Amino acid sequence: MRVAKPGVSTAEADLSVSLSGEALAARAGESVAAALVAAGRYGCRTTRSGAARGVFCGMGVCAECAVTIDGVGGRLACLEKVRPGMSIEPDPPARRFAASAAAAGAAAAGAAGAAGPDEKAPLLEEEVRCEVLVVGAGPAGLAAAVAARRAGAGVVVVDERSGAGGQYFKQPAFAVEEEALDRQYRSGRQLIAAALASGARLVSGVRVWGQDGPGTLLGAAPDRRYVFRAEALVISSGAFERAVPFPGWTLPGVMTTGAAQTLLRSYLVAAGRRVLVSGNGPLNIQVAAELVAAGVEVVAVAELARLYHPGNARFLAQMALTGQRQLLDGSRYLATLRRAGVQVLGGHAVVEVAGDGRAQVATLAPIGPDGRALQRGKRRVEVDAVCLGFGFVPSSELARSLGCVADLDERSGALVVRRDRAGRTSVPGVLVAGDGGRIGGAEVARASGTLAGIAAAEVARRRAGRRTPGRPGSRERLTLAAGRRRAELQLRRDEAFQGALWGLFAAPRLVEQLAEAGTIVCRCEEVTLSELERAAEPWLAAAGPLKRATRAGMGKCQGRYCSPVVTALAARRAGVAAGRLSGFMPQAPFLPVPVGAIAEAAPAPMQTTSPVEGRTFPER
Ligand SMILES: Cc1cc2nc3c(=O)[nH]c(=O)nc-3n(C[C@H](O)[C@H](O)[C@H](O)COP(=O)(O)OP(=O)(O)OC[C@H]3O[C@@H](n4cnc5c(N)ncnc54)[C@H](O)[C@@H]3O)c2cc1C
Ligand code: FES
């Protein structure tokens, strides 16, 4: 369903693509995923068992939206833009073993996911040298670039997306009327403009997929491969959504709240006409309100936390002290939902989605303190889309592969890279900022990006044997010091706000409590909970062996979605706390890239330090 948004052009669909031979109207600038969802066509790839899968993450991580475009398989519909006359087919099941060399080549290209316009054309090569390399052009990366430039460093920012802004500041794909845009769009435009005006070079549409030590990163674009060489590295790779498996969560039409928001904010496409939003956290409420404002029927918001608990007054008071504007935004979203008669069901979650090849009926249930569904109070609602937002997991693969020490965060169950206030990790010259380090929202990301940018510029300067620009007491130095102080204060305030916010949204942490024996846990390899439980022998005692025994985590998403469940099962069977196990080790390529991009590049063997104290082991 196409919708309108203030300030964004709502021109009619102006080009035609074909889906399995049937003409489909599309808008220049939109993604293939947006064109499919706008037409109510949710199915993309077919799994080995014959099940249909559709857009899930909306950000190039899950590979569930793989389609065959103009004869080339494994293209990700959420990243690929429509072109006139484009032919789209659902992707057939991936082959595990190819029978001939030719088939092997085709399968490998498909498995790699993103691909170039002509697989046979040799890829161009580009080496990019800079003082500070920033990976990720979200709020953290852009702020880091601006700060590092101000501190006198030569900066390159690389991002896999076609435009800068990351998740929070993602921009509309169509013409805009600047003044009529909402504040989130406008602040993003200002930050992007500041980064460009600073003289930083922005390299878009390039995925960093590997490394050859902290100073050398490997990247891939559809038509070329990159080698980035830098004195200092700021990793601001953001986060992806945490998965909670339950029966029917793999059906087309069930997607993350972030995916629904990207469809809405970037492409003016609603996830569906009747949408259920379920999960934990403020983004669900924001997206539900934005859907309502766009004319979508939101059947309910099932929020795991009990927001209206009297004990929450202290969190609201802290939020009012530290983030009045965000608190007001939140109240406005809730008021929008109230006016539209949308219930926010505290202590509830979606526990099942059913339908004939796509989401049609969802079951909601109250959730007990142990995270299990209660039988009393279940209700069924008709839907055509379900949005899931159970919080975020930092994209820490690159940092961990470089050997940065990471710890398991007990509250979120995610690995977080150990770093100081400026983002310096255990590896000299490698800094981490924003949600890629610890989930803290866009404001924390921005402030931590500024501090990391300043610190990275210092590292680069030291390594190049250059002096700090300006004389002691000069305007240049005073401005730099003031910028650092402002960012430190901002970071403290924003972190305090986030602490109170997550106090308000405190809820049982869901891992596998909603899954049944036959529920798929690993979406890529279709491994069920019972298969994992059968394989989880106490002596395996780690996620890695369980992965090798079942193939869970071996698919294109690299275990990003099943890792918490697999790790929790392994820990439970081994009788150790989940925090003692490190989950899956990051493997290059971190994200799907064309096979040609990696064929001749040789990334270094990786060193990862696990949360098991002091134990470092090479990757396998
Ligand atoms: C799908 C999604 C939607 C969200 N929507 C909202 C929202 O509406 N409101 C809100 O308050 N918060 C939202 N969040 C959380 C919010 O994104 C963050 O708090 C904020 O954007 C973090 O900023 P960041 O710079 O750390 O990361 P991001 O904004 O995520 O930016 C990271 C960037 O790095 C790029 N990147 C990652 N890995 C690589 C790589 N290997 N190679 C090249 N590029 C790479 C990504 O494509 C991305 O552009 C969302 C998060 C997600 C995942
Ligand atoms: S929806 Fe495209 S990769 Fe996940």
Side-chain angles (χ1 to χ4, degrees):
M1 172 180 165
R2 293 189 190 278
V3 298
K5 255 192 164 304
V8 188
S9 147
T10 50
E12 290 300 305
D14 48 7
L15 60 84
S16 175
V17 297
S18 92
L19 174 65
S20 304
E22 186 191 324
L24 217 64
R27 289 186 68 185
E30 73 184 359
S31 66
V32 171
L36 295 179
V37 173
R41 308 294 290 267
Y42 291 95
C44 292
R45 80 176 180 107
T46 309
T47 66
R48 290 194 191 100
S49 74
R53 295 286 172 77
V55 172
F56 179 66
C57 71
M59 56 183 289
V61 167
C62 72
E64 294 285 49
C65 66
V67 286
T68 299
I69 292 182
D70 296 334
V72 181
R75 311 297 278 268
L76 300 182
C78 66
L79 296 185
E80 198 87 28
K81 294 285 167 82
V82 291
R83 291 186 301 273
M86 181 184 250
S87 148
I88 307 161
E89 305 276 343
D91 229 17
R95 280 161 290 181
R96 210 166 263 163
F97 302 104
S100 67
D118 179 357
E119 238 66 39
K120 292 178 207 84
L123 290 179
L124 301 169
E125 310 233 4
E126 189 174 343
E127 182 173 332
V128 179
R129 284 177 183 272
C130 57
E131 288 178 310
V132 174
L133 177 67
V134 180
V135 178
L142 292 171
V146 171
R149 281 296 300 141
R150 280 196 188 136
V155 179
V156 170
V157 186
V158 55
D159 197 291
E160 63 188 328
R161 304 162 79 89
S162 54
Q167 293 299 346
Y168 185 71
F169 285 145
K170 55 196 158 223
Q171 296 293 314
F174 314 119
V176 297
E177 232 180 278
E178 194 92 27
E179 321 72 60
L181 291 175
D182 67 29
R183 196 178 48 232
Q184 193 169 330
Y185 283 133
R186 275 186 284 119
S187 337
R189 294 175 91 73
Q190 282 159 10
L191 185 57
I192 295 166
L196 292 172
S198 74
R201 176 181 169 198
L202 186 57
V203 182
S204 297
V206 177
R207 286 194 140 174
V208 172
W209 62 267
Q211 48 87 9
D212 199 2
T216 308
L217 297 192
L218 308 169
D223 64 340
R224 70 184 63 199
R225 49 172 175 245
Y226 286 84
V227 177
F228 296 96
R229 296 192 199 282
E231 300 296 338
L233 173 63
V234 178
I235 302 175
S236 46
S237 47
F240 56 92
E241 261 151 322
R242 207 159 67 75
V244 172
F246 59 84
W249 76 298
T250 54
L251 276 174
V254 180
M255 64 183 80
T256 64
T257 306
Q261 205 206 25
T262 300
L263 288 171
L264 189 64
R265 290 190 70 82
S266 292
Y267 305 115
L268 273 56
V269 168
R273 289 174 191 279
R274 276 178 66 80
V275 180
L276 169 70
V277 180
S278 176
N280 178 223
L283 180 61
N284 297 323
I285 289 170
Q286 177 184 344
V287 173
E290 287 182 339
L291 285 169
V292 164
V296 173
E297 183 186 354
V298 174
V299 293
V301 177
E303 168 51 60
L304 265 181
R306 294 178 188 278
L307 295 182
Y308 297 111
H309 191 277
N312 285 342
R314 67 197 157 109
F315 298 124
L316 289 169
Q318 279 168 336
M319 286 163 70
L321 284 176
T322 50
Q324 235 169 40
R325 186 175 53 71
Q326 292 102 311
L327 186 59
L328 270 176
D329 284 345
S331 319
R332 266 198 290 271
Y333 299 141
L334 285 169
T336 303
L337 295 177
R338 230 182 348 262
R339 276 197 303 277
V342 178
Q343 272 189 302
V344 178
L345 298 163
H348 279 66
V350 59
V351 295
E352 183 172 5
V353 178
D356 186 10
R358 52 172 286 190
Q360 289 170 319
V361 179
T363 306
L364 294 167
I367 302 296
D370 59 355
R372 300 198 180 274
L374 306 178
Q375 289 310 311
R376 279 177 62 144
K378 278 192 176 175
R379 67 167 93 168
R380 282 155 65 87
V381 286
E382 281 184 21
V383 293
D384 53 15
V386 176
C387 301
L388 307 174
F390 287 96
F392 296 102
V393 178
S395 294
S396 59
E397 301 79 25
L398 174 57
R400 287 190 292 131
S401 84
L402 286 166
C404 299
V405 174
D407 305 295
L408 194 107
D409 176 44
E410 294 289 350
R411 186 170 65 81
S412 65
L415 282 171
V416 295
V417 175
R418 208 180 285 173
R419 58 195 171 138
D420 67 10
R421 297 294 285 171
R424 297 180 199 95
T425 67
S426 57
V427 177
V430 178
L431 298 98
V432 170
D435 276 5
R438 183 184 284 275
I439 305 303
E443 299 301 330
V444 168
R446 216 170 151 157
S448 70
T450 300
L451 293 175
I454 295 171
E458 270 165 18
V459 172
R461 207 167 35 238
R462 253 199 330 270
R463 289 188 172 174
R466 281 193 293 106
R467 290 171 8 145
T468 311
R471 289 189 314 281
S474 67
R475 183 170 340 165
E476 234 170 336
R477 291 216 186 165
L478 291 176
T479 311
L480 202 61
R484 184 187 285 135
R485 265 197 310 278
R486 257 199 317 276
E488 273 164 1
L489 276 176
Q490 187 71 42
L491 185 60
R492 260 204 296 278
R493 203 169 41 234
D494 293 332
E495 283 179 341
F497 176 82
Q498 287 288 322
L501 178 72
W502 286 103
L504 185 68
F505 279 94
R509 187 158 70 81
L510 298 189
V511 186
E512 88 298 7
Q513 297 96 317
L514 302 183
E516 294 175 359
T519 303
I520 285 172
V521 171
C522 168
R523 299 175 68 103
C524 303
E525 295 291 324
E526 298 188 285
V527 184
T528 62
L529 181 65
S530 63
E531 285 169 315
L532 281 164
E533 279 177 332
R534 272 201 304 276
E537 300 287 348
W539 53 267
L540 287 178
L546 200 47
K547 170 179 175 176
R548 284 187 279 280
T550 61
R551 293 192 63 83
M554 286 196 187
K556 290 184 192 174
C557 89
Q558 296 253 17
R560 282 176 172 86
Y561 294 110
C562 65
S563 170
V565 178
V566 176
T567 309
L569 282 180
R572 206 170 303 146
R573 284 297 157 94
V576 298
R580 298 284 298 164
L581 302 184
S582 58
F584 299 146
M585 297 303 163
Q587 306 274 1
F590 311 125
L591 293 163
V593 288
V595 73
I598 53 178
E600 287 165 37
M606 286 180 261
Q607 291 281 315
T608 300
T609 304
S610 80
V612 180
E613 259 193 281
R615 208 175 124 200
T616 304
F617 40 92
E619 289 305 323
R620 269 184 260 291

